[in-house]
Amino acid sequence: MAETTLLAEAFDPSGLIAADRLSDLLHITRGELAATLGLSRDAVSKTMRVGRPATQARLREMVEILNRVRPWAGSAQQAFAWYRSQPLPSFGDQTAEDMVREGRADAIRRYLDRIAVGGYA
């Protein structure tokens, strides 16, 4: 994958995040993408539903976090592995995935700001 941001690669020409492109970039199925986001498979598979503000917001939250983690994770796939599996002690060992599914992406963004400033990233 080129050194452009994952967010740029995941956009479709209309300016929305394309779930099919994102799942291809991460090497997962759309069903797996939906499960990761806490959405139904239809939310990321059906054209009318993927464009809905709530679906786009959840997609954007995940992509923004992956973009921030990717430089020190090494690749989009490794950033995604961190997102899904790294327990975060600051959040009771929940993962970033858990937090986004609960609607707490802002807390993860603040956490990433803190660790970047502290030199841990």
Side-chain angles (χ1 to χ4, degrees), residues 29-44 101:
T29 66
R30 280 185 266 173
E32 291 169 319
L33 178 62
T36 298
L37 296 168
L39 300 171
S40 71
R41 187 180 191 297
D42 286 349
V44 297
R101 289 177 79 175

Side-chain angles (χ1 to χ4, degrees), residues 35-95:
T36 298
L37 296 168
L39 300 171
S40 71
R41 187 180 191 297
D42 286 349
V44 297
S45 297
K46 299 205 181 267
T47 305
M48 293 299 292
R49 296 206 43 207
V50 77
R52 288 186 175 163
T55 302
Q56 283 295 305
R58 190 71 60 88
L59 285 164
R60 193 172 305 267
E61 289 168 347
M62 183 181 83
V63 169
E64 287 173 357
I65 292 167
L66 294 177
N67 278 337
R68 296 192 54 194
V69 171
R70 189 170 82 161
W72 47 267
S75 71
Q77 292 78 24
Q78 290 169 315
F80 186 62
W82 174 90
Y83 176 88
R84 295 205 72 196
S85 63
Q86 181 63 46
L88 304 171
S90 296
F91 302 107
D93 288 335
Q94 287 186 298
T95 63

Side-chain angles (χ1 to χ4, degrees), residues 1-10 25 67 70 76:
M1 179 162 34
E3 284 302 311
T4 59
T5 65
L6 181 63
L7 183 58
E9 294 174 32
L25 289 167
N67 278 337
R70 189 170 82 161

